[in-house]
């Protein structure tokens, strides 16, 4: 049963959520009204709740039947604003390798069962990353990422989904092999490109028209993938290459295409998860502007250092430079002067309870991926006890948080709500105690994606921050709304667009030495609206597609301005931003925005 507050899955017989302690509410299978776990009948329609109604079997031809409620709601609330629009998406195809030969050996009932298990895996993973399934074929699926729900990172989501599916199908296949000797593997293919979204019905069915060969190429990638692998086109590779490891297969002959096309096998996710990490890995451009913002942050740090805890919100649109500002602050503060801990919220993580908190705890304890339970517990005891033996009581909730076995009987006997209180206290005590050793800078990245229980914990921490040596920095985009503004020790640092001079310096830094002709500079300035990410991507994109050429130590445009396109990565961010805006405002923006005129 899913907790309506923090979305954690709980065992069916539980009354309270094991992660956030909220009472678990059920819905009546007949009318959908909320009922409590010990109700015998629904108070609205009288349906008996003792014998839960058998879940009706999934109808794979009806999107309503297989789309989870949270996603269906999202689609229906945003549909009016995207019907008729051109959207950049990643198209996902998966199908069973050697299905025909499997079907020849097994009877229809067995096939049906096997495919049911397979479809469940596909649905779970695709929906987890908010992809939508357009169609189940007999032996596979076609899904879209980026429409009807817009995601700036549709290619990344599709890649994570594909990797998770291959992992789960790998296990499923091994089990089938053991049980019945059946070989079961899937092929996956991805391509990114534009589609025009048509009508979206109440039944969630979406009409769309592929532009060019967006869908076809994805399907070709799938049919050319080796069993158990993922093949992606050049377009998807370009959008996801910073975050995954790919193996180039060179140019492949593709049916229906005159020219051979580049293809890449998706191998695994890289350690890089965020854009700023990717920018660091590639080499940062020169840091420009932001003197005022930096002063405000330094001032907040000095106050925290002097014992007056501070909360600072670094607020600005995607790509405007929030994370970079944080990075530069860390560079100018002397390393010895403070302890730094960072927690991160993820774009697909708002349903994962305590996600940034786990991040904080793991990095504080220096827990690595793959560490055994005994080692994690050892690290924890050493680190926490060394800090302060009084913190012993924090160990059971920390064990619980990190899903380690809890042995403390007293803690185990607590009601969920009390466990939650203990967890909050334990985190607060640890952070406050640590800040007494050295001022503590605690940064939470991308708070606009925070899960509800972590948000509750943040509010709890902020309440008790006034007389500590903690500087809590929250980075988020303007659409995030919170209630902390009223605190006297809360300050907001708005990060806005950069000046033309600052932007010109970034362009120079991307291109390297050489004069930039005014026409090119003007083009970049006018198309990127003072946003440094757009500037980097746009300039890089023009270099890669040959629109910028270096002639006699001068960077010049080699194409007509009207032929120049905004790169896919930038379009994706703008599209996702537009989708969150009110219809009217969006329309005005689309008409007015210089960038918007390209799609
Ligand atoms: N002041 C600056 N000078 C030079 N480059 C900058 C500046 N600010 C940001 N950049 C560059 O722009 C890119 C985007 O910045 P950053 O990742 O900090 O954006 P963000 O606001 O955190 O976006 P998001 O909301 O997506 O996390 C990075 O490559 C960064 O190095
Ligand atoms: Mg950022």
């Amino acid at each position: 049963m899913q907790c309506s507050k923090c979305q954690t899955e709980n065992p069916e017989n539980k009354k309270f959520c094991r992660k956030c302690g909220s009472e678990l509410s059920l819905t009546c299978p007949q009318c959908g009204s909320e009922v409590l776990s010990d109700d015998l009948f629904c108070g609205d329609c009288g349906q008996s709740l003792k014998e839960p109604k058998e879940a009706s079997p999934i109808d794979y031809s009806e999107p309503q039947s297989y789309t989870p409620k949270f996603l269906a709601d999202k689609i229906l609330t945003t549909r009016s604003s995207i019907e008729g629009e051109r959207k950049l998406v990643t198209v996902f195809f998966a199908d069973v390798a050697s299905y025909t030969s499997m079907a020849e050996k097994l009877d229809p009932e067995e096939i049906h069962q096997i495919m049911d298990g397979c479809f469940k895996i596909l649905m779970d993973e695709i929906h987890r990353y908010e992809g939508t399934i357009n169609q189940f074929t007999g032996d596979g699926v076609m899904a879209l990422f980026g429409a009807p729900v817009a995601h700036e990172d549709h290619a990344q989501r599709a890649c994570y989904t594909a990797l998770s599916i291959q992992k789960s199908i790998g296990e499923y296949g091994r089990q089938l092999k053991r049980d019945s000797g059946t070989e079961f593997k899937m092929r996956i293919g991805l391509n990114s490109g534009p589609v025009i979204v048509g009508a979206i019905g109440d039944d969630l069915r979406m009409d769309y028209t592929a532009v060019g060969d967006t869908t076809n190429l994805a399907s070709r990638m799938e049919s050319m993938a080796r069993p158990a692998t993922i093949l992606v086109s050049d377009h998807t590779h370009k959008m996801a290459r910073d975050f995954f490891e790919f193996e180039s297969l060179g140019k492949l002959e593709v049916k229906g295409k005159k020219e051979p096309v580049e293809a890449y096998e998706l191998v695994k996710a890289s350690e890089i998860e965020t854009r700023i990490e990717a920018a660091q890995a590639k080499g940062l451009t020169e840091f420009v502007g932001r003197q005022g913002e930096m002063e405000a942050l330094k001032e907040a740090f000095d106050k925290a250092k002097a014992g007056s805890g501070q909360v600072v919100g670094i607020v600005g649109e995607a790509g405007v430079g929030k994370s970079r500002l944080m990075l530069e602050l860390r560079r100018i503060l002397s390393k010895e002067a403070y302890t730094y801990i960072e927690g991160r919220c993820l774009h697909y993580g708002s349903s994962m309870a305590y996600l940034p908190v786990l991040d904080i705890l793991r990095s504080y304890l220096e827990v690595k991926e793959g560490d055994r339970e005994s080692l994690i517990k050892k690290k924890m005891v050493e680190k926490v006890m060394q800090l302060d033996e009084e913190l012993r009581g924090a160990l059971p909730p920390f064990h619980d948080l990190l899903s380690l076995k809890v042995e403390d009987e007293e803690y185990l006997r607590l009601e969920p709500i009390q466990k939650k209180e203990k967890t909050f206290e334990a985190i607060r005590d640890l952070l406050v105690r640590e800040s007494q050793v050295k001022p503590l800078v605690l940064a939470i990245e991308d708070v606009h994606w925070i899960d509800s229980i972590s948000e509750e914990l943040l509010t709890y921490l902020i309440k008790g921050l006034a007389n500590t040596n903690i500087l809590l920095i929250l980075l988020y985009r303007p659409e995030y709304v919170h209630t902390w503004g009223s605190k006297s020790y809360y300050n907001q640092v708005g990060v806005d667009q950069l000046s033309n001079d600052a932007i010109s310096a970034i362009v120079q830094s991307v291109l390297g030495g050489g004069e930039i002709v005014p026409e090119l500079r003007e083009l970049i300035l006018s198309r990127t609206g003072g946003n440094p990410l757009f500037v980097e991507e746009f300039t890089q994109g023009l270099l890669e597609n040959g629109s910028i050429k270096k002639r006699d130590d001068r960077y010049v445009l080699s194409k007509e301005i009207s032929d120049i396109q905004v790169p896919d990565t930038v379009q994706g961010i703008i599209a996702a931003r537009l989708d969150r805006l009110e219809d009217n405002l969006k329309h005005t923006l689309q008409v007015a925005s210089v960038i918007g005129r390209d799609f």
Side-chain angles (χ1 to χ4, degrees):
M1 188 191 317
Q2 202 179 45
C3 170
S4 57
K5 183 126 199 246
C6 73
Q7 272 81 43
T8 300
E9 273 303 327
N10 287 276
E12 282 307 321
N13 56 354
K14 297 292 176 208
K15 292 188 181 162
F16 293 90
C17 174
R18 64 200 167 92
K19 286 288 181 209
C20 74
S22 307
E23 186 164 15
L24 292 171
S25 56
L26 300 166
T27 49
C28 166
Q30 182 73 26
C31 71
S33 321
E34 212 166 85
V35 292
L36 295 175
S37 50
D38 51 359
D39 286 356
L40 299 179
F41 293 91
C42 170
D44 280 326
C45 75
Q47 165 76 31
S48 166
L49 303 169
K50 273 184 298 185
E51 301 282 325
K53 253 195 169 179
E54 280 239 330
S56 43
I58 291 174
D59 179 346
Y60 294 113
S61 63
E62 284 297 333
Q64 247 174 333
S65 165
Y66 58 70
T67 308
K69 188 169 179 317
F70 78 94
L71 201 54
D73 289 348
K74 247 189 194 175
I75 295 170
L76 293 176
T77 49
T78 52
R79 66 175 163 176
S80 66
S81 64
I82 71 160
E83 282 173 345
E85 287 200 349
R86 182 174 186 268
K87 286 269 167 232
L88 275 175
V89 299
T90 298
V91 185
F92 176 108
F93 275 95
D95 93 342
V96 179
S98 351
Y99 180 80
T100 327
S101 70
M102 179 176 86
E104 276 165 14
K105 287 190 208 121
L106 301 172
D107 66 53
E109 183 50 32
E110 279 173 304
I111 294 277
H112 182 77
Q113 261 190 13
I114 290 178
M115 287 314 295
D116 233 32
C118 164
F119 285 164
K120 171 141 191 0
I121 293 174
L122 296 176
M123 283 190 298
D124 283 356
E125 295 300 340
I126 291 170
H127 292 145
R128 185 147 76 99
Y129 292 98
E130 300 191 355
T132 47
I133 295 173
N134 280 66
Q135 194 191 351
F136 280 98
T137 57
D139 62 345
V141 77
M142 178 207 162
L144 286 185
F145 290 81
V149 185
H151 292 298
E152 65 192 46
D153 51 358
H154 50 88
Q156 253 167 287
R157 284 172 187 253
C159 289
Y160 283 125
T161 307
L163 287 168
S164 305
I165 286 177
Q166 286 300 24
K167 186 161 175 258
S168 301
I169 291 288
E171 281 156 23
Y172 186 57
R174 281 190 287 282
Q175 187 196 331
L176 287 176
K177 180 96 186 163
R178 274 196 305 275
D179 295 352
S180 61
T182 311
E183 278 292 335
F184 192 87
K185 288 182 177 159
M186 295 199 87
R187 303 187 168 97
I188 298 180
L190 306 178
N191 178 38
S192 306
V195 297
I196 308 272
V197 177
I200 299 164
D202 288 335
D203 61 357
L204 306 176
R205 219 174 270 288
M206 178 177 90
D207 294 332
Y208 67 92
T209 316
V211 178
D213 62 356
T214 305
T215 324
N216 261 343
L217 189 56
S219 164
R220 294 279 177 248
M221 288 291 124
E222 181 263 298
S223 57
M224 288 164 68
R226 294 181 298 123
T229 68
I230 303 152
L231 199 65
V232 317
S233 71
D234 186 32
H235 305 290
T236 304
H237 172 253
K238 269 211 181 78
M239 299 191 73
R241 63 188 164 190
D242 288 341
F243 306 98
F244 299 88
E245 287 178 24
F246 291 93
E247 198 172 301
S248 168
L249 300 189
K251 292 203 166 186
L252 304 181
E253 298 286 341
V254 174
K255 214 161 84 186
K257 284 245 167 203
K258 278 196 218 109
E259 301 287 324
V261 297
E262 275 181 61
Y264 298 80
E265 213 168 88
L266 170 57
V267 182
K268 60 176 183 178
S270 77
E271 306 240 299
I272 291 174
E273 280 180 335
T274 62
R275 245 194 325 249
I276 192 74
E277 285 174 331
Q280 270 178 286
K282 284 188 285 194
L284 289 170
T285 44
E286 181 200 337
F287 184 62
V288 292
R290 307 286 182 228
Q291 287 83 1
E293 293 86 341
M294 195 58 100
E295 279 310 312
L297 288 174
K298 277 199 290 192
E299 198 178 305
F301 176 74
D302 289 338
K303 282 189 184 157
K305 195 171 156 194
S308 160
Q310 299 290 308
V311 189
V312 178
I314 299 186
V315 189
E317 295 289 356
V320 79
K322 302 178 293 295
S323 305
R324 181 69 189 266
L325 186 62
M326 186 64 227
L327 191 72
E328 297 297 327
L329 173 71
R330 289 172 60 196
R331 285 184 168 177
I332 56 169
L333 297 178
S334 137
K335 261 211 174 85
E336 291 71 42
Y338 70 106
T339 306
Y340 180 73
I341 314 181
E342 185 179 297
R344 208 185 278 156
C345 309
L346 292 178
H347 35 134
Y348 47 84
S350 56
S351 59
M352 300 181 200
Y354 285 120
L355 191 71
V357 184
L358 293 173
D359 222 14
I360 289 171
L361 206 54
R362 288 203 188 100
S363 68
Y364 178 73
L365 300 172
E366 292 169 40
V367 172
K368 305 223 165 46
E369 190 74 42
D371 274 359
R372 290 234 212 99
E373 172 148 349
S374 55
L375 178 65
I376 303 176
K377 282 188 166 173
K378 185 165 167 274
K379 283 182 180 174
M380 195 189 289
V381 171
E382 280 172 10
K383 185 108 191 188
V384 175
M385 292 293 101
Q386 199 182 12
L387 178 63
D388 190 342
E389 298 217 343
E390 300 263 308
L391 290 172
R392 186 175 296 279
L395 295 175
F398 287 171
H399 288 165
D400 204 7
L401 260 181
L402 294 181
S403 307
L404 308 173
K405 188 164 188 289
V406 183
E407 276 148 23
D408 187 290
E409 292 296 329
E410 204 179 316
Y411 177 84
L412 288 171
R413 274 197 300 273
L414 296 176
E415 288 293 331
I417 192 104
Q418 296 168 308
K419 286 186 180 161
K420 178 175 85 171
E421 281 166 14
K422 287 269 175 235
T423 307
F424 281 20
E425 282 168 18
I427 299 275
R428 180 201 57 201
D429 292 349
L430 180 81
L431 297 175
V432 171
R433 188 66 192 84
E434 189 61 51
S435 77
Q436 290 162 357
V437 180
K438 261 185 205 179
L440 175 68
V441 178
L442 178 64
I444 316 278
E445 266 280 6
D446 298 321
V447 177
H448 43 274
W449 287 317
I450 200 166
D451 62 282
S452 58
I453 185 89
S454 301
E455 189 175 37
E456 214 182 305
L457 172 60
L458 267 191
T459 307
Y460 172 88
L461 287 178
I462 289 171
K463 255 194 236 147
L465 214 68
N467 297 315
T468 66
N469 296 92
I470 300 178
L471 168 58
L472 175 61
I473 300 185
L474 308 170
L475 296 91
Y476 56 88
R477 299 185 185 164
E479 68 260 22
Y480 180 68
V481 186
H482 60 76
T483 53
W484 312 311
S486 58
K487 295 270 178 258
S488 61
Y489 47 90
Y490 174 84
N491 279 301
Q492 189 157 307
V493 174
V495 186
D496 294 326
Q497 59 193 67
L498 286 168
S499 67
N500 282 357
D501 284 349
I503 293 294
S504 301
I506 297 179
V507 177
Q508 192 75 63
S509 175
V510 173
L511 292 177
E515 187 197 338
I516 299 164
V517 298
E519 183 198 19
L520 173 57
R521 187 187 307 272
E522 284 307 313
L523 173 75
I524 298 175
L525 287 175
S526 69
R527 292 284 179 106
T528 53
N531 182 307
L533 174 73
F534 297 176
V535 175
E536 288 178 354
E537 295 282 342
F538 190 53
T539 315
Q540 198 64 44
L542 296 187
L543 259 184
E544 272 183 27
N545 70 20
S547 304
I548 299 182
K549 288 260 170 1
K550 194 171 185 183
R551 288 196 194 119
D552 306 327
D553 213 32
R554 292 173 86 215
Y555 288 102
V556 295
L557 272 172
S558 65
K559 278 189 190 160
E560 287 298 316
I561 289 189
S562 55
D563 291 340
I564 287 175
Q565 288 259 321
V566 174
D568 292 354
T569 37
V570 173
Q571 284 197 38
I573 294 171
I574 299 168
R577 186 158 102 197
L578 284 175
D579 275 2
R580 287 191 297 266
L581 298 173
E582 302 265 331
D583 274 0
N584 271 345
L585 178 60
K586 186 176 159 187
H587 182 68
T588 322
L589 263 182
Q590 273 174 328
V591 175
S593 158
V594 209
I595 306 165
R597 73 181 172 204
D598 272 298
F599 58 92

